[in-house]
Amino acid sequence: MSENVFDRMAGKYDKEERIALANTIAAEMKKYFPHDANNILLDYGCGTGLIGLQFKDDFKKLIFSDISGEMLKVVDEKIEAHKIGNAETKQTEELGSEEADVIIVSLVMLHVPEFRELIKKLYDILNESGQLIIADFDKNDSVYHEKVHNGFTHDEMRFALADAGFKNIDIKTFYHGEKIFMKKDASMFIANARK
């Protein structure tokens, strides 16, 4: 099996610009959260937990999941260091159906060749009436990388969500930044949908 590039990055992932972008995304996501703190949040593709850990007081339980074991080790260290009693990590393949009330997915879809299949999988992981919140880049023709989508149009994301069975789909651009996507200026959208 080839080495996971995110395993290599884990130890030095939390750079100033990534933290700033994570804070911007977290602030926007929080606007969509349910007011019931008795929910379970899954941060899917959590990286080092820069976004999900900001919500430790908003949910009964936090689950952090990633394909990179090294990223999850960093999250575990943060959970222990900050004595966060309501958080745990899980490999993505360990996730079962109806595991979370809210799933957040931040800057993950661009790395997933079959992102439509992932959206269907997330639908299954959500509890009935659960909520999916995706933050990612708007389609950007100035970006090219053979292993990364160059963002998504709102229509293609809306179609993928509806095709998976989601309803009450709302998508909007919420942020424009300089050199945030492969060193190019870019905008980001947030998509909010219900199972």
Side-chain angles (χ1 to χ4, degrees), residues 65-96:
S65 186
D66 203 282
I67 60 166
S68 166
E70 293 302 312
M71 289 285 192
L72 292 180
K73 280 184 193 170
V74 174
V75 177
D76 279 329
E77 287 165 10
K78 290 179 179 180
I79 290 169
E80 192 174 332
H82 298 286
K83 297 180 172 46
I84 302 169
N86 62 337
E88 64 175 287
T89 57
K90 276 190 177 185
Q91 293 282 347
T92 52
E93 61 271 13
E94 294 173 355
L95 294 168

Side-chain angles (χ1 to χ4, degrees), residues 31-140:
K31 296 175 186 174
Y32 293 86
F33 285 168
H35 296 296
D36 180 2
N38 204 30
N39 284 310
I40 298 170
L41 174 77
L42 168 62
D43 185 347
Y44 188 95
C46 64
T48 61
L50 284 176
I51 293 174
L53 285 169
Q54 297 190 42
F55 308 135
K56 67 185 186 312
D57 299 325
D58 299 301
F59 291 89
K60 173 178 73 176
K61 181 179 174 187
L62 304 173
I63 303 169
F64 293 88
S65 186
D66 203 282
I67 60 166
S68 166
E70 293 302 312
M71 289 285 192
L72 292 180
K73 280 184 193 170
V74 174
V75 177
D76 279 329
E77 287 165 10
K78 290 179 179 180
I79 290 169
E80 192 174 332
H82 298 286
K83 297 180 172 46
I84 302 169
N86 62 337
E88 64 175 287
T89 57
K90 276 190 177 185
Q91 293 282 347
T92 52
E93 61 271 13
E94 294 173 355
L95 294 168
S97 59
E98 299 194 0
E99 185 132 6
D101 303 297
V102 179
I103 298 176
I104 59 170
V105 186
S106 176
L107 304 182
V108 171
M109 294 297 170
L110 72 148
H111 297 289
V112 180
E114 300 298 330
F115 74 95
R116 290 174 187 86
E117 293 306 310
L118 174 55
I119 288 173
K120 289 175 183 172
K121 179 181 172 184
L122 295 171
Y123 184 89
D124 291 336
I125 294 170
L126 268 178
N127 289 331
E128 208 53 51
S129 302
Q131 180 181 14
L132 174 64
I133 304 170
I134 298 171
D136 219 310
F137 291 109
D138 287 315
K139 189 69 137 179
N140 189 328

Side-chain angles (χ1 to χ4, degrees), residues 123-167:
Y123 184 89
D124 291 336
I125 294 170
L126 268 178
N127 289 331
E128 208 53 51
S129 302
Q131 180 181 14
L132 174 64
I133 304 170
I134 298 171
D136 219 310
F137 291 109
D138 287 315
K139 189 69 137 179
N140 189 328
D141 291 330
S142 68
V143 170
Y144 174 78
H145 190 285
E146 60 191 19
K147 294 189 175 178
V148 173
H149 293 281
N150 66 341
F152 303 92
T153 67
H154 293 194
D155 283 345
E156 80 181 310
M157 188 54 65
R158 184 176 280 107
F159 178 81
L161 288 162
D163 188 50
F166 283 99
K167 49 191 187 279

